[in-house]
Each structure stands twice: as C-alpha cells, then as structure tokens.
Amino acid sequence: MEIPKRYDPKAIEDKWYAQWLKQKFFRSTPDHRKPYTIVIPPPNITGVLHMGHMLNNTIQDVLIRKARLQGYNACWVPGTDHASIATEAKVVAMLREKGIKKSDLSREEFMNHAWEWKRKYGGIILEQLKKLGASVDWERVHFTMDDGYCKAVIRVFVDLYRKGHIYRGLRMINWDCEAQTALSNEEVVYAEEGEKSFLYHVKYRLRDTEDYLIIATQRPETIMGDTAVAVNPHDERYSHLIGKTVLVPMINRPVPVIADNYVEKEFGTGCLKVTPAHDQNDYEIGLRHNLPVIDTLNPDGTLNEKCEIAEYIGKDRFEVRQLVVERLRAENLLVKEEEFITRIGRSERTNSVVEPRLSMQWFIRMKEISQRALQAVEMDEVRLHPEKFKNTYRHWMENVRDWCISRQLWWGHRIPAWYDEQGNVYVAETYDEALQLFKEKVHGSQSAVLSIKKLSTEHAALNTLKQDEDVLDTWASSWLWPIAVFDGFNDKSFDKRKGKVIKAANAELNYYYPTTILVTAPEILFFWVARMIIAGYEYLDEKPFSHVYLHGIVRDKQRRKMSKSLGNSPEPLELIEKYGADGVRIGMLFSSPAGNDLLFDEKLCEQGRNFCNKIWNAMRLVKSWKIQEGKNDANQAAILWFESRLSQVIRQLENSYADYRISEALLILYNLIWDDFCSWYLEMIKPQRQETRSLDLGTYEKTIEFFGKLLQLAHPFLPFITEEIWHLLKERSEKDCITVSRYPEGKTPDEGLLKKAEAVKEIITRIRDIRGQANINPNEPLPLYVLSNDRNGYELFRQTIMKLASLKSIEFVTAEIKGAKTFLVGADTFFLQTPVSVNVEEERKRLAKEIDYIKGFIRSVNAKLNNERFVKSAPPAVVEKEKQKLLDSEAKLKALEESLTRLN
RNA sequence: GGGAGCAUAGCUCAGUUGGUUCAGAGCACCUGCCUUACAAGCAGGGGGUCACAGGUUCGAAUCCUGUUGCUCCCACCA
C-alpha cells in the first residue's frame, strides 16, 4: 500500500470519531477506578462555535484524554445553557422577522416558539465539538432547563427563601428598556473609551426672585423627575441658598435646595439636580433627605404622565431629551452645551442604554452564604490557576453585593412565588404547595374564619393566587451545574428539611463530586465560578471542583478581541477543514499559557499542521524499511540514549501537567518528537544507502516501541493522527485503540549517558558547521582525531558520530594534528582533517578570543572562591559547584592554550 | 476613585527558594541545500544594558524603594 507523502486529516478524522463512539470509549459510569471529572462550561443555545469555545474545549479534552490514558475513570459531562436573556432576545428578533410581536403572544405561545428554537439550534455547538475531537460522554448531555434541572433550580430558590437568604425588595436596579428587564451589575457593560455626550447647563430659578442657579446635567429628560437641588454643605458660593426653594424648569415644581456631601464642588457648576427615581446616587440622597420619588419613565423607556408635559408622554427618553433641549434653548434657560465624555452603561445583550430604575425585584443576600466560598479559595481547597486570580477573587468576595436574580422575561425558570389578592407572597415548589401555605395563613388568621369556607374550594383559590411573572437570572440556574448534572437535587438525595444535598444518597454524585477541574475564562469568575463554589458549600458543604483553570481570551494579532463587527474571528470549522482538527488544536495551545490571552494567528495552525505532517512522515520512513533478523550493535547508542531521553521528558511533562502548564507540556513534546526523535534518533538508526535500506529486527522493534510511546504522549493533543498511526504502525484490532491505551511511565534516566549524548551532538554540529563554513560537501568522508582522557566514553557513540558527521575514521591521538580544523567540546580537543587548509591567522584569532573569554570566566569564579564571605555565607553546594566550574574551565583553558601553541 | 498584576531577543513568552556554563524557548530573520521520510522539509547562523533610577547583598533578571509605561478587576461623578 502506498502511503501518501502528506498527512490528510479529512480521510481519517470522522472515521475515528465514529469508531470511538461505537466503542463507547467516552462513556463513563461509576466503578472501582478513581474518577477524573470535568463538567463543561455549558455553551449558550444561541450561538455557534467560536474561537473561545475552541480554546476552552481543547484544553478540557487534553486533560480528560490524559486522565483516561492514565487509567482514571474519565468523565466529561457536556451540556448547554438556556441563557435566558440572550436566547429571549434572539427569539424575539426571529419572531419580529416573521412579523410577529412578542406582545401579541401569550406566555405559553412564546415559550413554544422558544422551545422550537432550542430544538433547532440548541445542539449546534455540541455537534461542532465532535469535529474538534471532544471526548465527552454523549449519554450525559444536560440542559439547564431539563425537567430535573428545573426542579433543582426551583428547590434551591424555595430553600434559600426559607433560610432567609432570598428577599424581595424595592431597589434601584439596572433596567434594559429594550428587553424590558432588570439586569445584574455584571450584565451592564461600559465602553472602554467612554461615549461622547453633552453636558447641558440649565437655569433653575429661585422662587420669588429673579435669581437662578445653573445646574449641569447629561440627562435633561429627567428634569421633570427632579425633587430637589443639592449643593455641597461647604460650598461658600451656595451656602446662602440652602433651604430656599427653586422651581424646576418647564414645570415650575417648587423643590428645596439641600446640602449633601455627595455633591462635588469642582464638578460641573457644583449644583446637582436630584432625581431619586432615575439615579442610584440621587435615590440615596433622596432617602437621606426624605425626598419624594417621581418616576417619569415607562418600562419601555418612554415617558409617562408623571412628567407633566403632555407632548412628551409616550415618547422615547432620547427623543424627549432633544425636545427638552430645544425648549430650554427657546426659553433661554440653556446657558451652555458642553461636549463631554461619559462612561455610560449599556446592556450586554441588547446594547441599549441602561436606565437606573426603581422596582420590585428578588435578591439573594450574598454576604453570609459566600463566606465559606471565600475561605475555600484562600485556603487553596479550591485552587485557581494561575494563582494571581486569588487576589481578584478575594476582592470581589469581600465586597460582594446582593444579587438581583429576577428578570422580566419569559424564557427561563419562572420564579416559584405566588401572590394573593392582598399581595402576600407564598414561595413554594408548586402551585399546590403555595396554595397550602395560603390556606394555612388564612386559617391562622382569626378574622378570616368566615372566609375559610369561601376559599375552601380550590377553585376559588385558583383565581386568587397568581404566580410571579418573572424568571430567574441564568446564572441562578447554572450555579448548580456541577451538582445538578448528577441529579443531586432529586427527591432522594435532597433533604428539604435540612436544606442539604445528601451525597451518600446519590451514587453518581457520590462518585463524581467534587469534580476534578473546571476550565473557563476569567471573565466569568464571578458570574459563574464563584457562585458555583458558593452553591457547593451551601448544599454539600463541599467544593464543586478542586482546580479552576482560567484561560485567556482569544484575540487577534493586534490584541483586539475577536468580534463579529470587526470580522477578525476565523470560522473554527473552516480552520479545521484547512488544517485538520489536530493542527488547529495545536495552534490553539501553542501560545496560550494559563491566564494569558491567546494572540491567535493562523500561522499557529499551520505550524500544528506541519507538526502532524512531520509525525506522518516519520511513520512513512519507519514503514519503508525492510527488516532483517538479528541485531545491529551500531544502533545500541541511539537506543540507550533515546530510552533515557524519553524517560527524562516523561518526567518533565508530568511536572508541566501538575502545574497545568499545558502549552509548556506541548512545547516539550514538540521538541522531543521533532528534534530528539526525528532529527537525531531516526537519523542515527536510519539505514544507509549501501545497506539497501534494511534495518535489524532488534532496532526496529525498539523503534516501534518508542514511536508508540511518543504517540501516547501526544495523543491528548493530537487525538486523530495518533490513533491513525497507532493502527498503521502495528497490526491491531479495532478495539485496541490508543484512546484507551495505557500511558507510558518514565524510568530513571541515565544522566551520564544523556550528558555524553549532548557532547556527541555538539561534536556533530561542530563538524557540520566547519563543513558549512569551508564549503565542504556534507557527504565527503573526513578523518577525525581526538585528544581526550575519556576515550572509553566515546566508544559507544563511535558509529553514531561517524554516520551523522560523515566521517571516514575516528582516531584517538596524543599529540596535535597539524593543519587540521580544531575545536573543543568540554575539555576534549578534536581535529578535523579537511582538504581546505587552515587559515592560521584566523584560527589564532578565534582561539585567542575563546581564551580571553574563559580567562575572564576563571577570574570571576576565582574572585568568588577567594572571597571569604562568599565561602562562608553561600550554601556548601553552591561553593562546591563553583569549585567544579573552576576545574572544568581550567582544563578547557589548558586545552585551548595548547591548541594555540601548536599553531605557532 | 479603590484593588491587583505586568515590563526579559523583532513578536509571544519561560526563567521555581537570589549563585555568570543562566540570559533561554517557539515563531520571525539570515546563509547554504529539491541529500531516495517530510521544501508543510534539511543543515548551519546572527540577535537582548533583563523598562529606568537608587538600595540591600560577597553576588540581583530574581529581593526592597521610587519613577515611567501598559493591562485587568471593582465602583461609577451629575
């Protein structure tokens, strides 16, 4: 069979993925082995695979495949997130295109559309992950709105309410006028550069005089909601006005001038208009001074009748802003319009300008329940990689604020709270339970004896109790992910009375929880990671995962974020098409140390593809040899050396993995395969022409063994090509896959041999260099003479040196060889006899330079050793090392000086 | 405004408790090669005052202080 010169990923990737699935290699169920568990950060059902997913899932797949090879019961749980606001926005847009308005639909009709969307698009990303080679357990796909998951979310809400961690309150929240919902602080984004706006200086007249104050505002449309004007109590310019009354422009509402420390004298005019309904700080000033709250905005961002000006009612706030400015100008109340850079907040999902709005929302009280989660990271129970994120985490957790969890949307987990006609709230898992609570309440009330009969039929109550219209913030469901995917909140394992998940009552949870590692981006450290840790301790008194690997953001070469509008994001599937899944995986990992952003460049994928091709061709070479019975001793050196080298690298790899330095591990492996194996080992054993390209069986078998081990080491990074070559190198059954093979273990490397081999490589390189410099044909056989005290040390490598340096002979001598090119490796001197005569003058110069350097070096070492304080205070090992250095370099100096003498 | 971190080759980054065979890797660059595994390749090579200024020390890329520049997180000024 002819093996193609280039590796063709397309031909094999789908084949192997199908084979792996058929063999159920990714399936995990609890057994006697140790578990290694990862839960996927569930992608939103709105999206398609992007570069961030590629990086995220490649890292997870490397870790899970490595664990699988090492004999763990590796379980990678896939799934998707319902992504409440993002999905609802998409569905609304989709309906709009079809000419359907959300407001014309009933809640149920809308939900049907949303589920339809989910069925259609929800699985896209997971499907695409197959192309990447992701070895997830496909029998464990979860969705944050599965029946069981919904139950868990509702249970937790009810439980936290009962425990007093959830409350309902009137708060100033961030309002998205477009989606018409509250947003958490985390969902509000601020443009990096700020946004251009105007600062309008407006006259506020004092009552009963012609005097006026000038107030600077960015939002003149809120003037009609003003209920005070505030100045700094220490501002002498205005102190005489405190307590006086001013008239709000246009509507002439009389409002007081008050003094409040919040006002900064330097900003604007030093006067602040106070609009408690439309600004967080104003709201607080209002509380301090008992100001009325006049809410002039409708939920959709238009003005309502409270603004008192008929023509503004029903118009959008930004339209009104223009109208107000025009009117103020016309009435000569506008003193100045000043350009101004403001840092305005926008909704992460709809990009509409966020309005502070006073409304009734549900909150989780965070302070208390987050204490143990803070401790857990502090004490390294949960370890963050890289560690620097501990600081960020601590800072956030110590200043954590209450979490607004209600959203005025339909797609999501509807809040399990019911209200009676009086507005009393009943929080329960089901309507029936809420009804029960309601009945109990009515029972308990003396005055309601009569009405009991009236309400005793369910029918009557049915009309009475109404469920809260809102749904929960997405993160208020995904924070249960590591517990809920193992069905931790089911009837058996959730103890309602205690408000705890009983691990022992759930075999799956008992086996897989806590999971091993979570791989995600630092962007959602607070959104998600911190909250999962909180939930873990709240419900299991245990961490959800032992490690958190935080990778960076994928950016382009210019460090810009990948974004649709910039068009700088490559299409992942096209990359896979072009470079193969393995090539892209390598490209993603090549330059992305944990915590650092990945500056993506397609060239990295090209490098990955080339690496695959290199391995492919190594396989072609090995397969091309004819095998002869017997054993060729000439290859002994290569085999012994590579065996040691392999062991050495396996240890290095373990260290890198242990610190989650994935890209470092990859680079080590890359060099091992490319340099050590291909450039050195294979060249060492490669049969030469005259030998008719045949190899002895002993060496061949050893080589196949080495190759196999390399493939295993590489398999976590390159699942497809390693599987293919695994089967090409050796006759194996369909089931005997590398995916489920046993990872190689390193033996103790022979350090002496490794060191000698380095010297041998240097000798070969020096000879090649001399040939290059002197323009001597690399294949022309030349004699080499060696002046060394370690004759035996080189004996093992004699054949290797001869072969790789194309030598005619190697002879040990006791005196110099005149007219030969001289070089030093360690303290040994080598003479290469070349047809080109040596330029004595240049040689002398070169030697003199080397001697100078070594002399300087010896001086510095001597200075140290002669320094009493050094010898006294430095650790003995360091002093010993210095002494050895001195000996080595003195020997070298001697050899150099002798060479120089010989020249003369 | 509060907090954290970074600054090492043209680029992206290593450099563990201070010890001059420790100034490194990958990419890029330069030179020579289509040598019967691979030009998606082979062989060889050049390149850094470790941001700046002080200090501690026998010894500093590594520790301390200051300066400059950059990044991130949190809060958010009308």
Side-chain angles (χ1 to χ4, degrees):
Chain A
M1 177 188 73
E2 190 63 31
I3 304 170
K5 214 167 150 178
R6 286 191 179 166
Y7 168 60
D8 179 14
K10 281 190 213 95
I12 66 134
E13 288 181 354
D14 290 345
K15 175 186 81 179
W16 282 118
Y17 201 85
Q19 183 61 234
W20 295 331
L21 289 186
K22 190 178 153 203
Q23 302 292 348
K24 292 194 178 292
F25 287 155
F26 308 152
R27 176 67 180 144
S28 169
T29 49
D31 61 19
H32 62 280
R33 291 174 295 167
K34 273 172 93 178
Y36 188 104
T37 318
I38 299 181
V39 291
I40 206 170
N44 292 349
I45 54 169
T46 52
V48 290
L49 193 71
H50 59 65
M51 295 306 285
H53 296 125
M54 294 285 280
L55 176 62
N56 178 252
N57 289 291
T58 301
I59 293 167
Q60 292 176 78
D61 199 41
V62 168
L63 295 174
I64 208 84
R65 282 182 185 270
K66 168 92 178 345
R68 192 177 291 120
L69 289 175
Q70 288 187 305
Y72 290 95
N73 184 344
C75 180
W76 185 9
V77 182
T80 47
D81 191 328
H82 70 283
S84 175
I85 186 168
T87 305
E88 180 146 336
K90 286 256 182 183
V91 173
V92 167
M94 183 261 298
L95 290 173
R96 196 186 299 132
E97 268 180 33
K98 289 186 185 168
I100 306 171
K101 286 207 311 226
K102 181 188 167 191
S103 51
D104 293 343
L105 297 175
S106 70
R107 186 169 188 139
E108 202 187 339
E109 286 166 336
F110 180 83
M111 287 299 272
N112 285 339
H113 282 294
W115 277 109
E116 182 59 31
W117 167 285
K118 194 264 166 184
R119 267 189 295 278
K120 239 171 149 173
Y121 306 110
I124 291 181
I125 290 185
L126 293 185
E127 276 309 305
Q128 289 174 320
L129 285 180
K130 290 181 178 171
K131 289 275 172 202
L132 188 65
S135 58
V136 301
D137 182 349
W138 291 106
E139 288 175 50
R140 290 183 179 274
V141 180
H142 285 80
F143 175 53
T144 56
M145 272 172 72
D146 286 340
D147 288 345
Y149 208 108
C150 287
K151 209 167 167 184
V153 173
I154 298 308
R155 285 210 152 143
V156 165
F157 185 95
V158 173
D159 178 67
L160 289 176
Y161 181 77
R162 286 189 188 148
K163 286 174 179 163
H165 296 312
I166 285 185
Y167 64 92
R168 194 166 173 255
L170 190 66
R171 288 288 186 287
M172 184 70 71
I173 43 87
N174 305 297
W175 185 259
D176 180 335
C177 295
E178 203 173 314
Q180 296 202 33
T181 178
L183 302 174
S184 67
N185 290 333
E186 288 78 9
E187 286 166 311
V188 181
V189 292
Y190 298 87
E192 282 171 40
E193 309 293 316
E195 291 188 30
K196 235 193 211 165
S197 174
F198 285 93
L199 202 53
Y200 301 96
H201 294 245
V202 183
K203 285 185 194 170
Y204 278 56
R205 262 199 16 250
L206 278 131
R207 189 167 62 183
D208 306 327
T209 72
E210 287 304 306
D211 274 354
Y212 57 83
L213 283 169
I214 295 172
I215 293 178
T217 177
Q218 276 187 78
R219 296 159 69 205
E221 72 278 12
T222 65
I223 285 175
M224 292 78 77
D226 288 355
T227 54
V229 165
V231 296
N232 189 290
H234 307 292
D235 194 336
E236 282 145 24
R237 294 173 296 174
Y238 302 117
S239 50
H240 63 287
L241 296 174
I242 295 169
K244 293 253 165 57
T245 299
V246 296
L247 299 172
V248 174
M250 301 182 288
I251 55 172
N252 290 323
R253 175 188 300 135
V255 298
V257 177
I258 57 173
D260 196 287
N261 275 322
Y262 171 75
V263 182
E264 284 187 33
K265 290 193 267 187
E266 287 74 28
F267 193 93
T269 60
C271 291
L272 172 69
K273 70 185 208 56
V274 185
T275 324
H278 300 297
D279 184 279
Q280 175 73 45
N281 295 301
D282 290 14
Y283 180 66
E284 279 159 25
I285 294 173
L287 288 179
R288 285 198 284 275
H289 298 270
N290 275 321
L291 298 174
V293 176
I294 301 174
D295 185 348
T296 60
L297 268 186
N298 288 317
D300 65 355
T302 59
L303 271 76
N304 62 28
E305 69 290 341
K306 294 207 183 106
C307 78
E308 295 181 27
I309 298 172
E311 72 159 309
Y312 298 163
I313 297 171
K315 290 200 168 102
D316 185 79
R317 60 204 191 285
F318 292 112
E319 192 186 345
V320 173
R321 178 178 299 179
Q322 287 319 310
L323 294 174
V324 168
V325 169
E326 280 162 29
R327 177 161 170 186
L328 291 173
R329 201 180 283 136
E331 293 183 12
N332 210 19
L333 292 172
L334 194 59
V335 184
K336 193 161 97 180
E337 293 168 62
E338 180 181 6
E339 257 195 37
F340 181 69
I341 299 295
T342 178
R343 295 202 57 215
I344 201 165
R346 286 178 180 272
S347 164
E348 192 186 22
R349 297 299 174 195
T350 64
N351 199 37
S352 87
V353 173
V354 168
E355 296 291 336
R357 185 157 187 268
L358 212 50
S359 70
M360 204 50 134
Q361 303 288 342
W362 290 93
F363 293 86
I364 297 184
R365 213 170 259 123
M366 296 298 278
K367 203 83 205 170
E368 198 183 317
I369 60 169
S370 55
Q371 283 312 305
R372 276 191 296 173
L374 170 59
Q375 283 304 310
V377 170
E378 277 305 283
M379 310 302 276
D380 284 335
E381 243 175 88
V382 176
R383 291 193 54 193
L384 306 186
H385 306 275
E387 230 179 342
K388 66 178 177 186
F389 286 108
K390 255 170 105 168
N391 291 328
T392 321
Y393 182 87
R394 184 190 314 114
H395 188 251
W396 193 78
M397 290 296 259
E398 282 174 349
N399 299 290
V400 68
R401 300 166 144 216
D402 287 357
W403 174 17
C404 175
I405 51 169
S406 43
R407 296 289 182 276
Q408 289 63 46
L409 303 165
W410 283 347
W411 176 247
H413 303 273
R414 192 163 177 182
I415 290 173
W418 283 263
Y419 305 94
D420 62 21
E421 283 176 331
Q422 281 74 45
N424 296 310
V425 64
Y426 305 93
V427 172
E429 285 185 23
T430 61
Y431 172 74
D432 288 343
E433 282 175 42
L435 194 63
Q436 192 59 38
L437 290 175
F438 169 71
K439 283 180 183 166
E440 281 165 22
K441 180 166 172 129
V442 177
H443 255 295
S445 147
Q446 295 279 340
S447 62
V449 178
L450 270 179
S451 52
I452 292 174
K453 276 184 185 162
K454 212 168 83 191
L455 295 170
S456 60
T457 64
E458 294 216 348
H459 181 74
L462 211 104
N463 295 327
T464 315
L465 290 190
K466 272 184 75 184
Q467 189 174 1
D468 198 300
E469 291 293 325
D470 294 353
V471 298
L472 287 169
D473 178 12
T474 301
W475 304 103
S477 64
S478 49
W479 71 324
L480 306 176
W481 188 247
I483 308 170
V485 296
F486 300 114
D487 204 17
F489 291 95
N490 71 24
D491 294 338
K492 276 188 191 158
S493 53
F494 184 63
D495 184 330
K496 275 195 199 177
R497 225 164 24 86
K498 289 185 187 154
K500 291 283 175 193
V501 172
I502 310 303
K503 218 167 99 166
N506 181 324
E508 287 257 311
L509 198 66
N510 200 32
Y511 183 73
Y512 291 114
Y513 192 96
T515 65
T516 310
I517 182 165
L518 178 82
V519 180
T520 191
E523 292 172 301
I524 53 174
L525 187 59
F526 310 125
F527 269 124
W528 193 44
V529 181
R531 288 168 182 166
M532 280 192 287
I533 300 175
I534 292 171
Y537 283 98
E538 180 65 25
Y539 286 103
L540 284 133
D541 295 312
E542 207 178 351
K543 61 191 172 185
F545 27 72
S546 306
H547 299 272
V548 181
Y549 180 108
L550 295 155
H551 60 246
I553 300 166
V554 183
R555 297 174 180 274
D556 68 6
K557 270 189 284 185
Q558 289 128 54
R559 281 193 187 273
R560 298 175 307 181
K561 271 193 187 179
M562 298 262 169
S563 78
K564 266 190 196 150
S565 51
L566 277 174
N568 60 348
S569 178
E571 178 54 52
L573 293 184
E574 282 171 20
L575 286 177
I576 290 177
E577 181 76 13
K578 207 164 156 193
Y579 301 102
D582 291 331
V584 177
R585 289 166 67 110
I586 295 298
M588 298 303 303
L589 292 181
F590 241 129
S591 73
S592 58
N596 280 29
D597 287 349
L598 164 63
L599 271 47
F600 184 80
D601 184 347
E602 239 185 90
K603 282 187 92 164
L604 292 167
C605 293
E606 199 180 313
Q607 200 187 338
R609 178 200 64 184
N610 294 355
F611 183 41
C612 290
N613 202 47
K614 185 73 185 175
I615 300 172
W616 183 256
N617 276 291
M619 180 271 294
R620 281 181 66 221
L621 175 67
V622 173
K623 295 276 286 180
S624 73
W625 293 329
K626 296 190 187 80
I627 309 306
Q628 266 184 345
E629 286 297 326
K631 203 173 163 194
N632 182 356
D633 288 339
N635 293 330
Q636 205 51 32
I639 291 169
L640 287 174
W641 162 69
F642 195 75
E643 200 142 51
S644 263
R645 178 72 186 134
L646 194 57
S647 293
Q648 188 185 35
V649 172
I650 288 173
R651 292 185 168 193
Q652 286 172 8
L653 283 174
E654 277 321 297
N655 290 334
S656 299
Y657 276 115
D659 296 339
Y660 293 99
R661 291 158 34 141
I662 309 287
S663 55
E664 183 183 87
L666 172 60
L667 194 60
I668 288 171
L669 193 62
Y670 180 83
N671 289 327
L672 174 71
I673 292 176
W674 201 300
D675 297 337
D676 293 303
F677 187 66
C678 293
S679 296
W680 288 103
Y681 176 79
L682 289 180
E683 292 297 330
M684 285 175 185
I685 63 156
K686 192 176 182 177
Q688 283 169 309
R689 277 159 281 196
Q690 51 269 52
E691 291 166 82
T692 63
R693 297 171 74 192
S694 69
L695 190 76
D696 62 283
L697 184 64
T699 305
Y700 179 75
E701 283 177 341
K702 235 16 203 172
T703 304
I704 296 295
E705 179 196 320
F706 291 152
F707 209 146
K709 285 183 177 176
L710 292 175
L711 291 175
Q712 289 174 307
L713 296 177
H715 180 256
F717 297 98
L718 305 164
F720 293 108
I721 189 175
T722 51
E723 190 70 86
E724 177 73 5
I725 298 181
W726 183 254
H727 288 266
L728 287 173
L729 272 187
K730 218 169 155 179
E731 200 62 45
R732 292 178 207 264
S733 77
E734 236 185 18
K735 289 185 180 176
D736 183 9
C737 284
I738 196 169
T739 301
V740 288
S741 66
R742 207 50 210 273
Y743 199 76
E745 278 170 33
K747 298 174 195 137
T748 309
D750 180 341
E751 298 291 344
L753 184 71
L754 287 168
K755 215 174 151 192
K756 199 75 200 167
E758 285 312 303
V760 166
K761 285 182 182 176
E762 194 182 337
I763 293 164
I764 295 164
T765 302
R766 295 297 289 268
I767 294 172
R768 286 173 176 167
D769 184 26
I770 290 170
R771 285 181 193 268
Q773 305 262 323
N775 248 328
I776 302 164
N777 185 328
N779 291 321
E780 184 176 340
L782 301 173
L784 180 73
Y785 303 93
V786 188
L787 190 59
S788 168
N789 294 325
D790 184 29
R791 214 185 142 131
N792 290 333
Y794 289 108
E795 215 41 59
L796 178 65
F797 289 97
R798 174 184 281 270
Q799 299 289 330
T800 305
I801 299 171
M802 298 248 310
K803 184 174 184 175
L804 295 191
S806 297
L807 297 177
K808 186 163 40 182
S809 59
I810 298 179
E811 262 182 63
F812 287 88
V813 293
T814 50
E816 86 280 12
I817 303 296
K818 281 223 153 63
K821 299 268 188 189
T822 311
F823 63 90
L824 248 75
V825 172
D828 300 334
T829 313
F830 295 80
F831 307 94
L832 185 69
Q833 192 76 266
T834 70
V836 182
S837 61
V838 176
N839 182 327
V840 178
E841 202 44 48
E842 267 183 23
E843 193 68 5
R844 185 175 294 145
K845 266 192 207 155
R846 191 180 63 78
L847 283 171
K849 209 172 144 192
E850 260 191 81
I851 286 170
D852 263 5
Y853 175 82
I854 202 92
K855 274 185 174 167
F857 181 68
I858 288 171
R859 257 199 305 280
S860 77
V861 177
N862 262 327
K864 229 186 278 183
L865 286 170
N866 293 334
N867 184 330
E868 258 180 61
R869 287 213 261 180
F870 169 71
V871 181
K872 234 174 27 196
S873 47
V878 173
V879 178
E880 209 38 55
K881 214 167 137 190
E882 291 301 312
K883 283 183 182 164
Q884 190 55 46
K885 272 186 215 164
L886 185 65
L887 289 179
D888 288 351
S889 41
E890 276 174 343
K892 188 160 182 174
L893 177 65
K894 192 169 158 242
L896 282 168
E897 279 174 336
E898 279 167 8
S899 298
L900 190 62
T901 329
R902 277 177 218 119
L903 278 176
N904 298 330

